């Protein structure tokens, strides 16, 4: 074997190893781009994102490094205007560059579907695909290691524009979602009016809430702290104000909060949408734009 051919092979192997290691490093960095993993299910999503970043970095670095190597070491000499080696009709090459993208697509699709099955998040597809005879099943976000059976059931009501959480066992109502850590939680999601989206970025969980549909939704919070719940769907003029605190605490602190809230007399909760809407009626200049009046502030034991 000629020395030049050996050097080319060594160069190719060295470049492939360098690109692979660099891509793996970039993929690991993707974990730091996301909020802390506050739910058991978030690890599945983060692993999928890291995989996609690694694969994308490998393709990008592989293509650009090959181009740079060709430009630097195999560029045409001055005044050489001849064509390069013909590749049209090269069946082997066409099969290779067709098969590789197809395999990558199947790999990504298979991995994504595996995560989707483990998460089991169910959106409004039943309403879109009316031909589907299957009845709506409860959404079930299964963690990688099931920690326990559901220990807490919480009713969640979404309305324009407020989140209302009801704990049926203690008859506590709150505008702040309290959750015990390392315990399975089952939410019964309902919408009073329009389509809303239950989305907690730190949990990597998102579930559409469909009017006139009750939907169970399970997950397992694992990291104590305070997070933010937002409405991921445009549900009307004041949808940006439809946010709530999510407090993950130890089971002992959670029970203590429930017991304390149960002793509180229900009172009207603060509601930013209702406040902003009331201000518009006192403005000297009226826009004349018609909007939906916010629902009345809910009566809660714990306004948060």
């Amino acid at each position: 074997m000629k020395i030049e051919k050996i050097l080319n092979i060594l160069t190719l192997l060295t470049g492939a190893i360098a690109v692979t290691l660099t891509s793996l490093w970039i993929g690991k960095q993707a974990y730091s781009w996301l909020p802390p993993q506050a739910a058991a299910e978030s690890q599945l999503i983060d692993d999928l994102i890291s995989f996609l970043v690694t694969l994308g970095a490998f393709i990008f670095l592989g293509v650009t490094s090959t181009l740079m190597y060709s430009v630097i070491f195999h560029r045409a000499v001055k005044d050489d205007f001849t064509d390069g080696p013909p590749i049209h009709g090269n069946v082997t090459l066409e099969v290779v560059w067709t098969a590789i993208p197809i395999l990558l697509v199947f790999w990504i699709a298979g991995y994504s579907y595996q995560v989707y099955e483990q998460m089991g998040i169910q959106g409004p597809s039943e309403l879109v695909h009316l031909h589907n005879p299957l009845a709506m099943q409860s959404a079930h976000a299964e963690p990688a290691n099931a920690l326990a059976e559901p220990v807490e059931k919480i009713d969640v009501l979404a309305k324009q524009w407020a989140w209302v959480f009801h704990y049926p066992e203690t008859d506590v109502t709150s505008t702040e979602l309290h959750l015990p850590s390392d315990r399975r939680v089952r939410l019964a999601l309902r919408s009073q009016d329009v389509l809303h989206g239950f989305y907690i970025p730190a949990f990597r969980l998102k579930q559409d809430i469909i009017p006139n549909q009750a939907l169970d939704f399970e997950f397992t919070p694992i990291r104590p702290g305070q997070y933010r719940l937002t409405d991921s769907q445009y549900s009307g003029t004041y949808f940006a104000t439809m946010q709530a605190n999510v407090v993950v605490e130890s089971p002992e602190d959670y029970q203590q909060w429930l017991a304390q809230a149960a002793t509180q007399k229900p009172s009207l909760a603060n509601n930013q949408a209702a406040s902003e809407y009331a201000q518009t009626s006192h403005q000297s200049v009226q826009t004349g734009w018609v909007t939906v009046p916010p629902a009345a502030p809910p009566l809660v034991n714990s306004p948060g």
Side-chain angles (χ1 to χ4, degrees):
M1 183 178 295
K2 295 182 179 179
I3 298 298
E4 183 179 358
K5 191 172 183 179
I6 294 175
L7 290 177
N8 287 336
I9 293 175
L10 291 176
T11 302
L12 180 63
L13 289 175
T14 304
I17 293 173
V19 168
T20 301
L21 294 178
T22 305
S23 302
L24 290 173
W25 179 81
I26 294 175
K28 292 293 183 184
Q29 304 311 305
Y31 287 98
S32 62
W33 303 342
L34 303 168
Q37 296 177 347
E41 292 75 13
S42 56
Q43 184 176 358
L44 297 171
I45 300 298
D46 290 4
D47 290 344
L48 176 60
I49 292 176
S50 176
F51 165 73
L52 294 175
V53 171
T54 302
L55 192 58
F58 181 82
I59 295 173
F60 175 77
L61 294 176
V63 172
T64 53
S65 60
T66 302
L67 285 175
M68 294 296 295
Y69 176 79
S70 300
V71 169
I72 296 174
F73 297 103
H74 295 282
R75 64 186 305 166
V77 297
K78 187 178 180 180
D79 299 329
D80 181 4
F81 299 103
T82 58
D83 294 332
I87 59 174
H88 180 71
N90 189 324
V91 177
T92 302
L93 187 59
E94 291 183 357
V95 168
V96 169
W97 73 31
T98 302
I100 289 177
I102 291 176
L103 292 176
L104 288 178
V105 169
F106 276 109
W107 190 11
I108 295 172
Y111 188 15
S112 302
Y113 184 74
Q114 182 182 2
V115 172
Y116 178 79
E117 271 199 325
Q118 290 180 280
M119 299 290 292
I121 305 301
Q122 189 164 1
S125 58
E126 289 77 11
L127 298 182
V128 177
H129 305 289
L130 297 177
H131 62 277
N132 190 347
L134 296 177
M136 171 175 280
Q137 301 294 324
S138 296
H140 182 77
E142 184 178 2
N145 54 339
L147 298 174
E149 292 298 320
V151 296
E152 193 63 41
K153 296 179 181 179
I154 305 172
D155 299 326
V156 179
L157 176 64
K159 60 182 181 178
Q160 292 173 308
W161 288 268
W163 296 100
V164 184
F165 310 103
H166 179 243
Y167 300 77
E169 293 185 1
T170 53
D171 197 23
V172 167
T173 303
S174 173
T175 52
E176 193 173 62
L177 179 59
H178 282 249
L179 302 171
S181 64
D182 299 324
R183 294 291 186 273
R184 199 81 174 141
V185 175
R186 175 177 293 175
L187 303 183
L189 303 174
R190 290 189 302 114
S191 171
Q192 179 176 291
D193 33 53
V194 298
L195 183 67
H196 295 279
F198 182 92
Y199 178 44
I200 305 176
F203 291 2
R204 317 287 194 273
L205 295 176
K206 176 180 174 297
Q207 175 60 55
D208 293 335
I209 309 175
I210 306 165
N212 303 319
Q213 296 274 1
L215 185 64
D216 289 342
F217 186 64
E218 290 186 13
F219 57 90
T220 306
I222 58 173
R223 184 186 179 97
Q226 181 168 305
Y227 309 98
R228 203 66 173 163
L229 164 65
T230 64
D231 187 355
S232 60
Q233 299 288 347
Y234 177 71
S235 56
T237 306
Y238 298 98
F239 91 101
T241 67
M242 192 169 169
Q243 301 189 23
N245 289 329
V246 180
V247 180
V248 179
E249 51 202 347
S250 66
E252 294 77 16
D253 291 342
Y254 171 72
Q255 292 299 332
Q256 184 177 359
W257 173 81
L258 275 179
Q260 183 178 4
T263 63
Q264 302 297 318
K265 186 178 180 181
S267 60
L268 285 177
N270 295 324
N271 186 276
Q272 185 177 348
S275 300
E276 292 185 9
Y277 181 77
Q279 291 176 3
T280 59
S281 61
H282 296 91
Q283 291 177 350
S284 57
V285 178
Q286 298 295 325
T287 61
W289 297 338
V290 178
T291 186
V292 177
L299 281 173
V300 297
N301 304 90
S302 175

